């Protein structure tokens, strides 16, 4: 992803987080999902002030009607519980191998701390994301996450 696109995404994410916090009176560890016709974004704060965002493109087909082409999107093909589990699993894998995000902010100045964290995240997730096969996503993880959240709320 280009640096300019990353900056735009960070600004959008910051706005979403700030907006949703204005409606939340208590801290929550659940995943926030925002859906559009073309994408679904999953937001999760695994550590205070550290957010992970997963953006999923909604599957589509190119169709033709009255000699005009258009895209037909299939949002029901994006199973939220599976992607929520993938998001949480991605963080847990990082934590197993690299400890917390906070612990990776090493340095004297904030810019140095952020750069060290970015480097560690980039190195880890560049390799980790290649290992995720969403065609065979572990449905058991999705079920166990959903069950644990339900169990905690009772």
């Amino acid at each position: 992803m280009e640096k300019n696109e990353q900056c735009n995404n960070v600004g959008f994410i910051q706005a979403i987080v700030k907006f949703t916090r204005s409606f939340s009176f208590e801290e929550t560890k659940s995943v926030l999902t925002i859906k559009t016709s073309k994408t679904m974004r999953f937001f999760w704060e695994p550590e205070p002030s550290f957010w992970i965002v997963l953006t999923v493109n909604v599957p589509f087909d190119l169709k033709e009607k009255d000699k005009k082409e258009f895209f037909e999107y299939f949002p029901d093909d994006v199973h939220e519980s599976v992607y929520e589990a993938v998001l949480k699993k991605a963080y847990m894998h990082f934590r197993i191998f690299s400890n917390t995000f906070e612990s990776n902010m090493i340095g004297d100045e904030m810019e140095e701390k952020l750069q060290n964290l970015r480097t560690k995240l980039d190195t880890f997730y560049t390799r980790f994301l290649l290992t995720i096969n969403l065609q065979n996503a572990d449905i058991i993880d999705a079920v166990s996450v959903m069950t644990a959240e339900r169990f905690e709320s009772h």
Side-chain angles (χ1 to χ4, degrees):
M1 182 181 298
E2 298 288 328
K3 285 284 185 194
N4 195 25
E5 188 178 352
Q6 283 181 343
C7 288
N8 288 338
N9 282 335
V10 168
F12 173 74
I13 291 162
Q14 287 175 330
I16 293 294
V17 167
K18 195 173 209 176
F19 177 75
T20 56
R21 279 205 173 139
S22 66
F23 294 103
S24 177
F25 298 105
E26 61 184 67
E27 289 297 315
T28 179
K29 289 296 174 190
S30 61
V31 175
L32 169 68
T33 305
I34 296 180
K35 303 174 190 179
T36 68
S37 61
K38 298 178 183 179
T39 63
M40 291 180 77
R41 284 193 168 104
F42 300 89
F43 298 80
W44 184 48
E45 185 180 26
E47 299 175 31
S49 300
F50 291 93
W51 288 82
I52 300 176
V53 180
L54 173 65
T55 301
V56 177
N57 292 321
V58 173
F60 63 89
D61 277 337
L62 183 61
K63 301 278 185 169
E64 187 175 322
K65 185 176 182 178
D66 299 329
K67 297 186 180 189
K68 291 185 181 180
E69 291 184 335
F70 66 95
F71 293 109
E72 181 179 4
Y73 290 90
F74 304 101
D76 293 339
D77 289 353
V78 179
H79 301 283
E80 290 179 47
S81 60
V82 171
Y83 286 99
E84 288 175 10
V86 167
L87 184 65
K88 290 180 177 184
K89 192 174 205 171
Y91 171 72
M92 293 310 297
H93 277 267
F94 179 86
R95 184 134 185 206
I96 288 167
F97 293 106
S98 303
N99 209 343
T100 64
F101 292 156
E102 181 72 37
S103 70
N104 282 281
M105 293 191 62
I106 301 165
D108 296 324
E109 300 293 322
M110 184 54 80
E111 187 57 40
E112 181 185 10
K113 292 178 181 182
L114 289 172
Q115 186 57 46
N116 286 332
L117 176 60
R118 282 186 200 112
T119 300
K120 190 77 159 189
L121 290 169
D122 189 47
T123 301
F124 178 81
Y125 283 113
T126 297
R127 283 187 250 139
F128 177 78
L129 293 175
L130 295 174
T131 68
I132 296 176
N133 183 355
L134 292 176
Q135 297 297 327
N136 299 321
D138 192 349
I139 302 300
I140 292 173
D141 282 345
V143 172
S144 66
V145 167
M146 190 169 59
T147 304
E149 288 174 356
R150 264 197 207 150
F151 189 70
E152 289 173 3
S153 67
H154 292 300

